[in-house]
Amino acid sequence: MAVVVQKEEEEKEKSMMVDYVNVAMGKNSSQSSTGWSGYSSRAVDGKTSGRYNDGSCTHCNNEGVMWWEVDLETVYDIDHIEIYGRTDCCSSRIQGAKLWIGNNLCKTLTDMGAAQVETVKCDNPSHSVGRTVRIEVLDYLTLCEVKVFTKIEYEIQLPPQKHLKCTGDSKLETTPMWPSTNLPHSPLQTTTDGRLVE
């Protein structure tokens, strides 16, 4: 009787992972004016409540073109932006707002309305690179959070996977199941009742 001798091979496998990071959180911000204690920093504080009394929303005075801006401190290729608006009042004020990345117009907001959050991608992908994100509107501007996401790709090493592989191209290595040099009798002998002969 013979058995196949097999070898173990370890294959190191890698996997590409994708993550999205909000690069606006806690960054320096500014706006055209401040009313009702709606400071610009409220839009990058991580709080997304759409109720103004929760202290999470900005507020500009109505003075011509109103704007809000965040400085990302370095240039990013921005994948998408989430804009959170008010839900307790005046949600339509942000309709028609223009979203700028650096000096490039990214998008004009037309679908936000009463929805608390709108996810925005630039109409032209080449306009998604910049250091600043700016929102302009011809009305009171109130933002409850602005999240600016960049995509990060990284590689992780998976644990080695063990695979059994027969040696040789088409031949199997064999070895005796019971080598005669390791047993006192070769071949094995038994009595009629099945006991080994010593």
Side-chain angles (χ1 to χ4, degrees):
M1 183 178 182
V3 294
V4 178
V5 175
Q6 296 176 308
K7 293 183 179 180
E8 288 185 345
E9 285 192 350
E10 291 187 353
E11 290 187 2
K12 295 182 178 179
E13 297 185 1
K14 296 179 180 179
S15 179
M16 186 64 67
M17 305 296 291
V18 175
D19 201 0
Y20 297 93
V21 179
N22 177 15
V23 293
M25 172 82 81
K27 298 293 176 61
N28 291 327
S29 61
S30 56
Q31 58 189 14
S32 55
S33 62
T34 300
W36 294 270
S37 301
Y39 304 107
S40 66
S41 59
R42 289 182 172 184
V44 287
D45 62 0
K47 302 174 184 177
T48 60
S49 172
R51 298 184 297 273
Y52 195 81
N53 288 338
D54 288 344
S56 176
C57 303
T58 70
H59 205 305
C60 290
N61 293 315
N62 192 346
E63 299 173 349
V65 177
M66 281 140 291
W67 56 267
W68 175 93
E69 183 174 287
V70 62
D71 182 357
L72 305 177
E73 300 178 358
T74 190
V75 174
Y76 287 98
D77 186 352
I78 296 167
D79 183 81
H80 65 279
I81 297 173
E82 292 180 0
I83 300 174
Y84 292 76
R86 287 184 69 171
T87 57
D88 58 350
C89 166
C90 325
S91 58
S92 63
R93 289 177 177 174
I94 200 169
Q95 283 289 86
K98 295 185 182 300
L99 174 63
W100 297 79
I101 296 178
N103 295 322
N104 296 315
L105 179 61
C106 170
K107 185 88 172 180
T108 298
L109 305 182
T110 58
D111 301 322
M112 193 159 181
Q116 184 194 3
V117 59
E118 182 173 356
T119 300
V120 180
K121 280 182 171 285
C122 291
D123 292 329
N124 186 338
S126 66
H127 290 179
S128 64
V129 178
R131 171 173 171 160
T132 59
V133 172
R134 184 183 181 97
I135 298 173
E136 297 179 351
V137 72
L138 294 172
D139 202 340
Y140 289 104
L141 178 58
T142 300
L143 301 167
C144 297
E145 192 70 17
V146 178
K147 298 182 179 182
V148 181
F149 291 95
T150 187
K151 183 168 67 174
I152 296 178
E153 296 182 346
Y154 56 96
E155 197 174 69
I156 64 171
Q157 184 76 54
L158 299 177
Q161 303 295 314
K162 292 183 177 181
H163 300 279
L164 293 176
K165 183 180 180 180
C166 296
T167 59
D169 295 331
S170 58
K171 297 179 180 179
L172 299 179
E173 293 183 0
T174 61
T175 186
M177 177 68 79
W178 303 106
S180 60
T181 55
N182 296 329
L183 295 175
H185 299 280
S186 181
L188 294 178
Q189 299 179 12
T190 62
T191 63
T192 56
D193 60 359
R195 290 182 294 108
L196 287 173
V197 175
E198 297 184 355

